Amino acid sequence: MTETAKRNKQFLIFILVAYGVTCVMGILTWYGSTIPVEMSLFPTAQMFYPAAGVMLAYILTEWKDSLLPRWFYIGFLLITCLLLVFCVLSVLMPERTASMYGQQVSLWMALCQYVLLGGSVLGWVLLLISGKDRRAAYGLRGGRWGLSLLCILVFLGLYFGRAAIAYAVGGQGDMILEILKNPGTWSYLLFTPVNFLLAFAPFLGEEYGWRYYLQPLLQKRFGLRKGVLLLGIVWGVWHVFLDFFYYTTPDRGLIMTTNQIITCVTIGIFLAWVYMKTNNIWVPVVIHFLNNNLILVVANNYSVAVLENQQITWEMLPWQLLLNGILFGPFLLSKEFRRKQ
């Protein structure tokens, strides 16, 4: 097999998993929303598909490579398969429940939490025993930690700054003080690093697929800037089933999808800049984790239900585009995007 043929095969496998499985499970997402059932399993499982596509592609085409981190890849794929099974069973047997933290919850949701926790711990172990050469060969090694930490702090400044501006413009400036006075805010932030260590897998699931694998391909084909903008669009569209049947109701699905594309394009610019600047995939992984989990802080609501059935209107989108564009758009002008490809 020629190198070009191998790369084409890898890309086809990636698309079939990252988008093909998403579409198949999207149909199940729609059906589950009509019953209804516990739907929070579906976005969690979907986050694994991009990296699963990359890993399966490399296993099928690079198995003889001594630097392939086989056991880490296999472990990640097994977790992905388990989550897929739980999603299917949550629709077929929604009545099954279990006791968790003194409450009755969906059995499949409880199992999902245990798998995520155990899978993340196992993932760190498998990464460690893979060795630095294997991690480096397949984009899993860290590095430039001082610069990486600075990039994360820049993101936090932009993230909380955006929330403060939104509250102030919306006439809810008192909410900023409320969040700061809430003891839950500080305890949540205190345990955020620990939470990341115990739940990193889904965020690696997206970033290893989007930033490590697909971003360089699109930039090589369309240019450094256009490639990143295109990635933001295809990343946003990838959420379409969740936009219609989880994040909001079907009648607002198109609005949410448009909003999702705006978010993925603008934040995608920053994530691309971070990855190009540090060449450390763990920085986008951490930032993606913070972006998703700090929603609870800025909303001052520590229930995951805050993500479901959001009330969004077309009138909100220009403001979203303007604010995100002002905060994240200028990174397209940075030297990382100006250098020779």
Side-chain angles (χ1 to χ4, degrees):
M1 183 186 296
T2 66
E3 192 65 23
T4 300
K6 182 167 67 173
R7 298 302 175 205
N8 289 340
K9 182 177 181 181
Q10 290 170 349
F11 182 70
L12 177 61
I13 294 169
F14 168 76
I15 292 297
L16 287 174
V17 176
Y19 286 90
V21 174
T22 297
C23 288
V24 172
M25 295 303 291
I27 298 171
L28 199 62
T29 305
W30 159 75
Y31 178 69
S33 70
T34 64
I35 298 178
V37 299
E38 171 59 64
M39 296 298 297
S40 57
L41 282 74
F42 287 86
T44 301
Q46 185 167 320
M47 293 178 75
F48 281 77
Y49 304 158
V54 178
M55 294 176 186
L56 182 61
Y58 286 156
I59 284 176
L60 295 178
T61 60
E62 305 282 2
W63 183 257
K64 294 180 180 179
D65 184 0
S66 61
L67 291 176
L68 186 74
R70 295 179 183 85
W71 290 112
F72 176 72
Y73 279 7
I74 291 171
F76 193 94
L77 289 171
L78 286 175
I79 294 169
T80 305
C81 290
L82 279 174
L83 294 178
L84 274 169
V85 170
F86 293 156
C87 286
V88 173
L89 292 176
S90 73
V91 173
L92 296 181
M93 294 184 283
E95 71 284 353
R96 301 293 179 89
T97 62
S99 179
M100 195 174 189
Y101 307 122
Q103 296 181 333
Q104 288 298 116
V105 299
S106 163
L107 170 64
W108 315 114
M109 187 63 215
L111 290 175
C112 174
Q113 294 301 314
Y114 291 131
V115 167
L116 285 176
L117 174 62
S120 290
V121 173
L122 177 63
W124 288 122
V125 172
L126 294 176
L127 267 178
L128 182 64
I129 64 176
S130 292
K132 63 181 182 181
D133 291 337
R134 289 189 178 89
R135 292 195 298 271
Y138 283 84
L140 291 165
R141 187 179 180 185
R144 309 187 74 181
W145 291 110
L147 178 60
S148 298
L149 177 60
L150 179 60
C151 290
I152 292 170
L153 292 176
V154 169
F155 174 76
L156 288 173
L158 293 171
Y159 188 90
F160 287 121
R162 179 181 62 178
I165 292 170
Y167 276 129
V169 172
Q172 295 179 288
D174 56 324
M175 268 296 292
I176 302 171
L177 204 55
E178 239 182 85
I179 292 169
L180 292 174
K181 289 166 60 178
N182 184 355
T185 299
W186 302 105
S187 60
Y188 186 85
L189 292 174
L190 181 65
F191 283 99
T192 293
V194 177
N195 290 338
F196 171 75
L197 293 174
L198 298 178
F200 81 94
F203 303 95
L204 178 67
E206 284 206 49
E207 292 306 313
Y208 196 63
W210 305 134
R211 240 57 59 185
Y212 168 72
Y213 179 75
L214 192 56
Q215 178 179 310
L217 289 182
L218 294 180
Q219 287 184 309
K220 184 177 181 180
R221 176 67 178 83
F222 298 100
L224 296 181
R225 291 192 179 99
K226 290 179 182 177
V228 165
L229 295 176
L230 180 59
L231 174 59
I233 294 171
V234 299
W235 181 25
V237 172
W238 176 78
H239 292 86
V240 65
F241 289 103
L242 298 176
D243 291 334
F244 272 78
F245 306 116
Y246 178 73
Y247 294 129
T248 189
T249 49
D251 58 306
R252 299 175 186 263
L254 184 58
I255 308 174
M256 180 58 76
T257 299
T258 307
N259 178 71
Q260 192 79 254
I261 292 171
I262 292 171
T263 301
C264 289
V265 168
T266 51
I267 290 191
I269 291 169
F270 184 81
L271 291 171
W273 172 76
V274 163
Y275 185 51
M276 293 165 69
K277 194 170 187 66
T278 65
N279 197 32
N280 180 350
I281 192 60
W282 295 103
V283 187
V285 172
V286 170
I287 290 174
H288 197 146
F289 170 84
L290 293 172
N291 181 71
N292 286 28
N293 285 272
L294 293 180
I295 291 172
L296 306 182
V297 174
V298 298
N300 205 27
N301 184 340
Y302 293 89
S303 167
V304 294
V306 73
L307 300 175
E308 295 185 62
N309 299 321
Q310 299 173 47
Q311 299 300 305
I312 187 169
T313 64
W314 287 113
E315 289 75 19
M316 296 178 181
L317 300 193
W319 169 246
Q320 171 84 340
L321 177 61
L322 178 64
L323 187 55
N324 271 14
I326 290 173
L327 292 177
F328 299 111
F331 288 94
L332 270 181
L333 305 176
S334 65
K335 65 180 181 181
E336 282 71 27
F337 286 98
R338 295 198 308 269
R339 67 191 180 196
K340 184 177 288 189
Q341 191 161 326

